[in-house]
Amino acid sequence: MRSFWIFGNQLSHELELFRHIEEDDVIVMIEATSRAMWRKYHKQKLVLIFSAMRHFADELRDKGYTVDYHEADSFQDAWDDHFTRYEPNEIHYTAVTDAAMEKKLQQFGKKHKLVEHSDVPLFYLTKQEAVDTIGDVPWRMDRFYRQMRKRFEVLLEDGKPRGGKWSFDADNRQPPKDGLTFPAPIHFRPDAITKDIIEKVERDFADHPGDITPFVWPVTRSEARRALKRFIKERLETFGPYQDAMLTDNQDMSHSLLSSSINIGLLTPDEVVQAAVESDAPLASVEGFVRQILGWREYMRAVYMASMPGYESVNTFKHERDLPHYFWDAETDMNCIHQSVKPVIEKAHNHHIQRLMVLGNFATLFEVSPQQTSDWFNELYIDAYDWVVLPNVLGMALHADGGKLATKPYVASGKYIDKMSDYCKGCKYNPKHTTEEDACPFNALYWNFIDKHEERFAKNQRMKMMVRNWQGRDDAVKADILAKARQTLDDTDSL
């Protein structure tokens, strides 16, 4: 008899290991309290994982599989019980990406015979293929994305990109307009299983962050497919042009909200991409969405595989400040921070521009520890896992890897936030002011960052213009701006 171990982020009926399961074999699933407490995960993330696991186990039983499902304090406690009852001679599992879980498996493998299976279709590429495809440092997303498009023949015509270019990113950066509205995303009502999990999490993980209700996320493949269908049919068209915009009264806008389902296996990246490609949406919207899944998601995983261990500790700028309290309660007069953190507390999610150009931008300019920042993202987001958080936060948002992943730091003054959102209209701070009492904190800190690192960025093709802009300013003006920046850093907790 053999045991087949399925983890909570591998809930796909398309797993390669299913081809090897025979009549006498047993599937093992473990709802481990200790694993759920590796970090202070958002309550809704715990609800999602536990509920999706229980639903998946029921689906497997309905298909005729024998499932040994455990609620246990630890993986070891569950396996001790499983071995007592079944005495398996092999343990099969699907390859894991996260380094911490890989380490646990290596320890487990010292006592038991382990057989690893491919993690395709949870990703397009196997772990080794990802490393081979990304190539040598410096890694570049554009090059990787073109390789992926060609390899999997996505949006190609006679071997060339549909529409004549590989990326329509320039068409997908429109700021919000007055009166702009978007079709609503689909929400799901908790069933009996999910309600039981909500009670469990509220009872056993009461000190974890975040609101626990309303919980509206898909927890089954059926629900995830309905969410995909709604997005493709009603929301993909407007996702494209406004994917970089931010609105106070519509936090979700036309974002897909599918990452939580893709990252635990309820949807495969390939089926999501194919649904977009086969839609009637404008090419710019389709390509922009495909780039996120086939390009960016696979690229992040490849960077992680090529750089771990070690990448988790990068800190090029030597930033060591603590995250301020309002990253947990959203209580700040900076309206962009309030509006970006509030949905994370309420539902463990906000969209990529809030993550990158508000919160990541804040952490860089306010000189916050990259490790504290990535830990916060890992704990608070419903779609967060090490393999996607570390490259996205440390490499993309914070440039803490010194440019291995991206050519420039994604820093911006308050003027960018004002252009791409309506947040500044209701804010105590003025995005047009830099040194005045009501000046937007991002403004002086942006120039403070340029000043500190002007030597590093003077030869950077994408940054040297801003360096020259700073160098050309009057010394007295520069001194006032840097003094305002120091004051802002000192007052971080009270902003």
Side-chain angles (χ1 to χ4, degrees), residues 64-75:
Y65 293 104
T66 300
V67 180
D68 186 23
Y69 193 98
H70 291 260
E71 283 187 75
D73 288 337
S74 68
F75 289 139

Side-chain angles (χ1 to χ4, degrees), residues 175-176 244-248 334-340 353-354 356-363 365-366 410-425 427 429-432 440-443 446:
D244 283 7
M246 298 173 280
L247 285 174
T248 299
M334 288 181 286
N335 196 41
C336 61
I337 301 296
H338 173 76
Q339 294 296 337
S340 298
I353 293 300
Q354 291 169 309
L356 176 65
M357 298 307 301
V358 178
L359 302 180
N361 187 24
F362 174 98
L365 298 184
F366 279 77
Y410 280 83
V411 291
S413 69
K415 293 178 181 178
Y416 173 88
I417 297 171
D418 189 28
K419 174 186 175 183
M420 298 306 298
S421 77
D422 62 358
Y423 295 162
C424 299
K425 295 177 182 177
C427 188
Y429 301 105
N430 190 331
K432 295 180 172 62
C440 172
F442 283 88
N443 290 344
Y446 175 79

Side-chain angles (χ1 to χ4, degrees), residues 321 434-436 439 441 443-445 447-449 451-452 470 475-491:
R321 294 176 182 269
T434 300
T435 58
E436 294 85 344
N443 290 344
L445 289 180
W447 293 114
N448 179 67
F449 179 81
D451 179 77
K452 279 191 173 184
W470 174 249
D475 286 345
V477 172
K478 291 163 71 173
D480 286 345
I481 292 174
L482 296 179
K484 179 66 174 180
R486 288 191 293 272
Q487 177 192 343
T488 302
L489 288 173
D490 290 341
D491 295 342

Side-chain angles (χ1 to χ4, degrees), residues 59-60 138 153 181 198 207 215 217 227 241 283 295 305 316 324 348 363 383 389 400 403 408 454 456 483:
E59 292 171 5
L60 293 178
E153 299 182 348
T181 60
I198 290 173
D207 61 340
F215 182 87
W217 297 97
L283 178 58
M305 293 309 307
T316 290
D383 53 5
V389 167
K408 69 179 289 288
E454 63 177 296
R456 171 183 290 272

Side-chain angles (χ1 to χ4, degrees), residues 164-204:
K165 54 185 178 179
W166 293 101
S167 172
F168 289 83
D169 188 43
D171 300 324
N172 294 336
R173 299 177 182 175
Q174 293 188 33
K177 299 182 294 188
D178 290 338
L180 191 62
T181 60
F182 300 92
I186 190 170
H187 287 166
F188 299 94
R189 184 175 299 175
D191 62 6
I193 291 176
T194 302
K195 288 178 180 177
D196 285 345
I197 294 295
I198 290 173
E199 290 181 7
K200 170 183 174 170
V201 172
E202 195 72 298
R203 178 186 69 245
D204 297 342

Side-chain angles (χ1 to χ4, degrees), residues 358-377:
V358 178
L359 302 180
N361 187 24
F362 174 98
T364 302
L365 298 184
F366 279 77
E367 303 177 355
V368 175
S369 158
Q371 284 62 48
Q372 284 194 30
T373 307
S374 62
D375 284 350
W376 182 84
F377 274 84

